[in-house]
Amino acid sequence: MIVRDFDEIIKTDRDRVVSDARWTSVRMLLANDGMGFSFHITFLEEGSEHTFEYKNHFESVYCMKGTGSITDLATGETHAIRPGVMYALDKHDRHILRAEEELVMACCFNPPVTGDEVHQPDGSYAVPKEA
Amino acid sequence: MIVRDFDEIIKTDRDRVVSDARWTSVRMLLANDGMGFSFHITFLEEGSEHTFEYKNHFESVYCMKGTGSITDLATGETHAIRPGVMYALDKHDRHILRAEEELVMACCFNPPVTGDEVHQPDGSYAVPKEA
């Protein structure tokens, strides 16, 4: 059994805390935990806007705190984000995520993120090394 | 892109809301969503105690609200549960989960739950039909 505490990770396990332009992600589970998915708590800064396209991953994102919106760039449709709303990128959907207030999101990735990925210019993560 | 709202599911999509003795689980994502994992928001009643052993699944559980504890029945070790604590059953660990206050948990299952499982007497879910 793995037990991890968000507050302890923030204080003592900074390798699990990854930041990029106006977002921070705390990796509670990564590929080497052997669960077959990774699990992250991700913060998006108030007023920020992000274009992502996880070409090589499925991702689900559950809003725990904050408000914003997501636009599906294939359809142009925009959905409000507030606590309790989840979106799942079952078609590796290219999208824009906007944080009106700071967003705090619980994210699952399949295949699991290894922790070594960087966002590529197209908004994707590279294919996992294991693939 | 799949977008689902917890509040709407509670009101209009009761097939996604599953209850058993002193717990309720809202299935935000199931196997047929094609993500390769399922994602549930699960409530465990204040004062309740549960013995689970997911022999056929990996499960991670992130505490969003409430306090309690988990005991690993292989080692006898007990860990406090509070918001920000996650446990991951990477060895299909048989365990007792106790809710001192109502617990609200974000849960990921691999393989994904189909929605048709019932807890078996040993605390497990059956092997998914797809397997």
Side-chain angles (χ1 to χ4, degrees):
Chain A
M1 184 183 303
I2 299 165
V3 180
R4 292 194 180 118
D5 181 345
F6 177 92
D7 294 338
E8 286 301 311
I9 290 175
I10 293 290
K11 281 187 226 156
T12 65
D13 196 1
R14 297 295 298 187
D15 283 355
R16 292 188 173 275
V17 182
V18 177
S19 293
D20 202 333
R22 308 195 71 188
W23 60 263
T24 297
S25 186
V26 178
R27 274 75 189 267
M28 305 292 296
L29 284 174
L30 287 168
N32 64 7
D33 291 311
M35 299 288 288
F37 57 85
S38 60
F39 181 74
H40 317 175
I41 303 296
T42 299
F43 297 76
L44 301 119
E45 272 183 35
E46 180 179 326
S48 65
E49 186 176 304
H50 312 265
T51 301
F52 295 131
E53 181 182 7
Y54 296 110
K55 291 178 184 175
N56 306 305
H57 297 77
F58 296 109
E59 186 197 17
S60 73
V61 180
Y62 179 82
C63 179
M64 298 196 295
K65 196 172 167 195
T67 58
S69 64
I70 182 168
T71 298
D72 182 335
L73 288 170
T75 64
E77 204 172 356
T78 294
H79 305 271
I81 303 282
R82 60 178 179 279
V85 172
M86 179 213 68
Y87 62 86
L89 306 167
D90 61 329
K91 298 181 184 69
H92 309 285
D93 315 69
R94 185 169 173 83
H95 63 281
I96 299 174
L97 181 60
R98 293 175 204 85
E100 289 160 21
E101 301 169 346
E102 182 190 51
L103 288 170
V104 185
M105 312 295 249
C107 309
C108 306
F109 278 83
N110 167 32
V113 164
T114 64
D116 296 327
E117 295 86 353
V118 290
H119 271 97
Q120 301 184 113
D122 64 0
S124 76
Y125 282 146
V127 178
K129 287 173 193 162
E130 294 85 341
Chain B
M1 184 185 301
I2 299 165
V3 180
R4 294 196 179 116
D5 181 346
F6 177 92
D7 294 339
E8 287 300 311
I9 291 175
I10 293 290
K11 281 186 224 156
T12 66
D13 195 2
R14 297 294 299 188
D15 282 355
R16 292 187 172 276
V17 183
V18 178
S19 292
D20 202 333
R22 309 196 71 186
W23 60 263
T24 297
S25 185
V26 178
R27 274 75 190 267
M28 306 292 296
L29 284 175
L30 287 168
N32 64 7
D33 291 311
M35 299 288 288
F37 57 85
S38 60
F39 182 73
H40 317 175
I41 303 295
T42 299
F43 297 77
L44 302 119
E45 273 182 36
E46 180 180 328
S48 65
E49 186 174 303
H50 311 266
T51 301
F52 295 132
E53 181 182 7
Y54 296 110
K55 292 179 184 174
N56 305 305
H57 297 78
F58 295 109
E59 186 197 17
S60 74
V61 179
Y62 180 81
C63 179
M64 298 197 294
K65 196 172 166 195
T67 57
S69 65
I70 183 169
T71 299
D72 182 335
L73 288 171
T75 64
E77 205 172 356
T78 294
H79 306 271
I81 303 282
R82 60 178 180 277
V85 172
M86 179 214 67
Y87 63 86
L89 305 167
D90 62 328
K91 297 181 184 70
H92 310 285
D93 314 71
R94 185 169 174 82
H95 62 283
I96 298 174
L97 181 61
R98 294 176 203 85
E100 288 159 22
E101 302 169 345
E102 182 191 49
L103 289 170
V104 185
M105 313 294 249
C107 310
C108 306
F109 278 83
N110 167 32
V113 165
T114 64
D116 297 327
E117 294 86 354
V118 289
H119 272 96
Q120 301 185 112
D122 64 0
S124 77
Y125 282 146
V127 178
K129 288 169 192 166
E130 293 86 342

